[in-house]
Amino acid sequence: AQSVAQPEDQVNVAEGNPLTVKCTYSVSGNPYLFWYVQYPNRGLQFLLKYITGDNLVKGSYGFEAEFNKSQTSFHLKKPSALVSDSALYFCAVRDDNTDKLIFGTGTRLQVFP
Amino acid sequence: IAGITQAPTSQILAAGRRMTLRCTQDMRHNAMYWYRQDLGLGLRLIHYSNTAGTTGKGEVPDGYSVSRANTDDFPLTLASAVPSQTSVYFCASSDRVGTEAFFGQGTRLTVV
């Protein structure tokens, strides 16, 4: 069965430092991968996706993600974190069998001033 | 403002009562979804609809029903609420199944 794993419940980083939020996936076919962000008391907002092509995907708010097929990973990155980036981040994969999005359990990013 | 509207934003409901969560989108998206979000479990799909007139079961459909009479509306009904249905419910839509989804603000439901 298709799945995604977010191994870290929380990531702490100082403002101005680079950040990485990890995601690994398991799919039977070609992976369609997504990152979403959720601010407090809000719905999820789409950040970026990987369908095919360049392994480095650029998205909203300066975020990017790197697709690594050999490591089955799709880590979210940003060169310089902002306090306003503090939020809950979800990785998702499209299920090959049902075509639905399967979400990870989420990683809380805390950026300290 | 274009997007997805959910109502109510929050509700406290007595166990055994019937409740319908409303969801409307104005993006003319074909696919719509209902998720519940619980601490430590992420988002789990309850029901979905590929297009108006069709619905399907997600990962956790028991105790919930949906209908899709038209493109814009996708209500979620709890026929007889139980405390384990206390959660935050999100409606979402996408142009087609499997593409990026757009989410509503959520409905916080507490069943007591």
Side-chain angles (χ1 to χ4, degrees), chain B residues 4-8 19-24 34 74-76 91 107:
Chain B
I4 296 181
T5 303
Q6 290 184 235
M19 173 79 187
T20 295
L21 308 185
R22 300 184 299 277
C23 175
T24 300
W34 274 105
F74 191 45
L76 176 74
C91 180
T107 295

Side-chain angles (χ1 to χ4, degrees), chain A residues 32 34 36 38 41-46 49 51 88 90 94 98-106 108, chain B residues 33 35 37 39-43 45 48 50 57 88 90 97-106 108:
Chain A
Y32 284 28
F34 304 81
Y36 286 81
Q38 184 181 30
N41 300 313
R42 304 292 297 273
L44 277 69
Q45 297 178 32
F46 169 74
K49 66 180 178 182
I51 304 297
L88 190 56
F90 288 95
R94 191 189 75 171
T98 66
D99 227 15
K100 310 300 173 296
L101 288 181
I102 299 171
F103 286 85
T105 52
R108 185 164 301 281
Chain B
Y33 317 85
Y35 290 88
Q37 183 179 19
L39 191 63
L41 297 175
L43 276 81
L45 182 66
Y48 67 94
N50 291 345
K57 294 181 179 180
V88 181
F90 288 101
V97 174
T99 58
E100 63 265 30
F102 295 84
F103 283 77
Q105 300 279 63
R108 184 175 297 276

